Amino acid sequence: MEKNSQGMPDRETKKRFLEYLERFVSANKLSLFDKVLGMRTRHITVALEDIYQSQNASAVLRTCDCFGIQDVHIIENRYTYSINPDVALGSSKWLSLHKYNKGDDNTLACYEALRAKGYRIVATTPHQNDTLLGDLAIDKKIALVFGTELEGLSETAIRHADEYVKIPMYGFTESFNISVSAAIILHHLTEKLRRSGVEWQLSGDEQLDTRIMWAKSVIRHAD
């Protein structure tokens, strides 16, 4: 593709490239792209710290796709994130996955990247200063951080978060499974977001880039 002075393809070049790609995509799939793209958001994003059980990792991806979350940030400090295709059901190809696994403390690297994009870091863990899910504000961009299945979030993840949220519970068990927690929280927040006056949809350029990614994902030998 032709590139601009910054070395990136310009918008018109991207549009021509997308038009070419979509010649190889079925009309039914293109119609689905239109429907789904209008419901995608980056106002809420998800970060997963050291999630190592593939069924849980995959279930969270499936949940993000179902609720219109476009970006998932994957932090790998001790464990490698793996996807179970029988659980994910292809959801990963519709999401923008960002991995952090190059440094000594990938949690802080992820937090720094999220804050640079304007996100408020919200740790999903019981905490002395936590906010109940129903009271969590959505006027600004939110990055929800989920921790490992057995240990929860690391001390670093908790200490450097901006806010803490918990799901109200009324039984003897102290916590939900991570995939259940993600589903409950994302259902509540995305419904609240879509009823709000917040501009939550992807920008025109973001929609263009996402649609190119989706088209490439369904075309054999797209590269």
Side-chain angles (χ1 to χ4, degrees):
M1 285 190 285
E2 297 176 9
K3 298 181 179 180
N4 59 23
S5 59
Q6 286 74 44
M8 300 295 292
D10 60 35
R11 181 176 176 81
E12 287 305 312
T13 300
K14 287 182 179 180
K15 288 173 69 175
R16 292 197 302 271
F17 180 51
L18 178 61
E19 289 171 1
Y20 174 75
L21 289 176
E22 290 187 340
R23 297 178 192 174
F24 305 96
V25 182
S26 70
N28 180 63
K29 187 68 74 175
L30 292 177
S31 177
L32 191 57
F33 284 0
D34 290 334
K35 177 182 177 181
V36 174
L37 195 56
M39 300 304 291
R40 276 304 208 245
T41 188
R42 283 196 165 103
H43 191 83
I44 297 172
T45 193
V46 167
L48 305 174
E49 184 189 48
D50 278 336
I51 308 301
Y52 60 89
Q53 293 184 355
S54 63
Q55 66 270 28
N56 284 333
S58 305
V60 174
L61 293 187
R62 187 172 169 183
T63 294
C64 287
D65 177 46
C66 287
F67 289 125
I69 304 301
Q70 183 57 37
D71 291 329
V72 178
H73 301 262
I74 298 167
I75 302 166
E76 297 177 337
N77 286 318
R78 293 177 295 165
Y79 305 112
T80 300
Y81 189 89
S82 62
I83 297 173
N84 183 328
D86 293 331
V87 178
L89 296 181
S91 57
S92 60
K93 71 181 179 181
W94 308 119
L95 302 173
S96 301
L97 303 182
H98 310 271
K99 286 196 174 185
Y100 304 83
N101 54 19
K102 303 298 184 182
D104 295 329
D105 195 326
N106 298 299
T107 299
L108 291 181
C110 178
Y111 278 18
E112 181 179 352
L114 289 169
R115 287 197 173 101
K117 295 178 180 178
Y119 285 100
R120 179 167 103 254
I121 309 296
V122 180
T124 58
T125 181
H127 187 275
Q128 61 182 359
N129 297 316
D130 53 21
T131 301
L132 289 175
L133 178 58
D135 297 327
L136 186 65
I138 57 164
D139 55 324
K140 296 181 180 179
K141 294 168 70 174
I142 298 173
L144 299 161
V145 190
F146 296 87
T148 61
E149 291 82 349
L150 295 178
E151 302 170 13
L153 289 170
S154 69
E155 180 59 32
T156 296
I158 294 171
R159 187 170 66 252
H160 292 274
D162 301 310
E163 197 170 345
Y164 310 89
V165 67
K166 69 176 180 180
I167 303 168
M169 292 185 296
Y170 308 100
F172 293 104
T173 307
E174 294 183 355
S175 63
F176 290 105
N177 174 282
I178 178 179
S179 61
V180 174
S181 294
I184 292 172
I185 292 173
L186 290 177
H187 174 264
H188 176 84
L189 293 181
T190 55
E191 287 296 301
K192 183 176 180 179
L193 185 64
R194 291 185 173 96
R195 292 194 303 266
S196 74
V198 174
E199 295 183 4
W200 53 267
Q201 292 175 297
L202 300 182
S203 69
D205 285 340
E206 288 174 328
Q207 290 193 28
L208 178 59
D209 289 340
T210 302
R211 195 173 177 110
I212 289 173
M213 182 187 78
W214 289 354
K216 291 175 68 177
S217 74
V218 299
I219 300 171
R220 294 185 63 184
H221 310 301
D223 289 339

